Amino acid sequence: MAVKILIVGGGYAGFYTARGLERMLKPSEASITVVDPNPYMTYLPFLPEVAAGSIDPRHSVVSLRRHLKATEVVGGRVTKVDHSAKTAEITPETGEAWVEEYDVIVMTAGSVSRTFPIPGVADHAIGMKSIEEAVYVRDRLIGNFARAAALPVDSPEREALLTFTVVGGGFAGIETIAEMRSLATSLIEYYPQITIDDTHFHLVEAMGRIMPEVSEGMAEWVVQDLERRFVNVHLNTQLQNAEDKVVQLSTGEEFKSDIIVWTAGVMANPMVRTTDFPIDERGRLTALPTLQIAEDGTVVPDAWTAGDVSAVPDISKTPGPGGFCVPNAQHAVRQGKLMAKNIVAVLRAEQPIEYNHANQGAVAGLGIGNGVFQSGKFKLKGWMAWMAHRVYHGMAMPMFERKARVFSGWINNQFLGRDIAPTEHVLEPRVFFETYASRPKPKVEEAPKADEAAKADAAPKGDAKA
């Protein structure tokens, strides 16, 4: 009888696990099911470039159904797991939830933005963890230029529209602010009413430095480069309030910012708390280097995990913070590939292999023609680093057809320039239709018929003296 394998989450780790299992197991050996609310895997390192209009949004995602041909893809969320009974509750976007039985479960639910209860953040900020968020930032930034160009130079509304804030100085935050700055600079050519001095970019970082993955000297160079491009970098600074889009910093500085992007960390998907699996103090599934879920070092049979949702011990020579693998694409992809092999090994009564992969380096794009790269003591800055960034991530993008779309898009932009047409109203696609749609005329009460009116006049009126 075929083994039923349930994969919770279709991100990096889940996608590569399913793909590996398809290659190594025959349909008679196993049935594979992936459950994810999205029908695609998002290549997160491309989101800042999507926000800058340098990559078509659809080119940075991978269709699960197209590329997982032997896997059943279920659109929905796993809202409860009872591993003692080997059942999972699946809740679709529409319709009733149902319980799915399984033999082996793979927990790759990924991560979500980690926020703090700062007033205004939940109401006005936006993350950089999904393709929809990146598209919104791009369209909103371009739309703000059009709106600001029609306003008086000294209006406070105009200044707010041209003020952009990114909270978090990790790789996601640095790439996001740099790509947004690059897009804004290119837009000035098309809006003669706006100068570079009219635009205001703020990066807010609570620590005393940015990008802890690179050397301090490299991080300082990035700060200087951002400041040279008119980005205000606020180190040792915390966001204290964002109500009504008014940014209040711990330094006392205050300004209104129409776009506030939150990139200050991630946390494991909270859905793991609805399972009976062991989790650590940070809400991650505890695991062994073999990627098996474990409690106090004891393997939980038929349960596996990888990626951002897991606390996988880092046994390389350069372990991550706390001795665990850091939540990034490098680890998730490689863990997914190994996990597929380990699952097959255990199914065939063989020994699983421990995950041991040292970080290959750090690369970041800082806008068109600019970037940084560091691997050990080897460093690159500027154009060469930007090229290394594009080559690395272009090749790391799953599937040949996705690679071809990404590279062809970059080549087109090189000769034709980036597309600056905003599509903000895609979020409310029926507004245009509703505005001009004909509607039924309101019903008018009919006047009483003549004979009924005459009868009413002839009716006795009663005693006038009463």
Side-chain angles (χ1 to χ4, degrees), residues 42 75 85 88 128 138-139 142 166 170-171 174 185 202 205 224 248 269 290 299 339 374 421 424 460:
T42 303
M128 193 55 66
R138 171 198 177 272
D139 287 344
I142 298 174
V166 174
F171 264 77
I174 295 301
T185 301
H202 298 270
E205 168 55 44
Q224 293 170 4
Q248 296 178 5
N269 194 320
T290 55
V299 171
M339 186 159 59
Q374 180 174 341
E424 286 184 278

Side-chain angles (χ1 to χ4, degrees), residues 308-381:
D308 294 0
V309 79
S310 62
V312 176
D314 188 346
I315 59 175
S316 68
K317 294 180 180 179
T318 56
F324 296 98
C325 296
V326 297
N328 64 20
Q330 275 192 38
H331 286 306
V333 169
R334 290 165 177 79
Q335 287 173 1
K337 292 179 178 180
L338 176 63
M339 186 159 59
K341 296 177 182 178
N342 281 351
I343 291 172
V344 173
V346 171
L347 289 177
R348 295 173 178 171
E350 300 172 2
Q351 289 298 314
I353 300 171
E354 292 187 336
Y355 176 75
N356 186 351
H357 174 76
N359 195 306
Q360 291 185 333
V363 60
L366 302 177
I368 300 296
N370 196 16
V372 291
F373 170 78
Q374 180 174 341
S375 180
K377 295 183 179 181
F378 180 73
K379 303 175 185 178
L380 288 175
K381 304 172 185 175

Side-chain angles (χ1 to χ4, degrees), residues 1-5 20-32 70 344 347-348:
M1 182 180 292
V3 176
K4 296 179 66 175
I5 301 175
L21 290 173
E22 283 187 348
R23 290 178 172 181
M24 291 181 283
L25 295 174
K26 299 177 181 179
S28 59
E29 293 180 280
S31 65
I32 308 164
V344 173
L347 289 177
R348 295 173 178 171

Side-chain angles (χ1 to χ4, degrees), residues 235-294:
L235 299 179
N236 293 310
T237 305
Q238 295 179 340
L239 174 65
Q240 293 189 328
N241 199 308
E243 291 180 302
D244 299 323
K245 295 188 176 181
V246 176
V247 173
Q248 296 178 5
L249 304 180
S250 57
T251 57
E253 190 171 354
E254 181 177 306
F255 50 85
K256 191 162 187 178
S257 178
D258 185 72
I259 297 180
I260 304 171
V261 183
W262 181 276
T263 65
V266 298
M267 66 179 184
N269 194 320
M271 70 79 49
V272 300
R273 300 183 185 276
T274 67
T275 73
D276 55 351
F277 292 123
I279 58 176
D280 67 5
E281 65 280 358
R282 295 179 58 183
R284 302 172 299 181
L285 295 167
T286 56
L288 298 180
T290 55
L291 307 176
Q292 294 166 290
I293 295 178

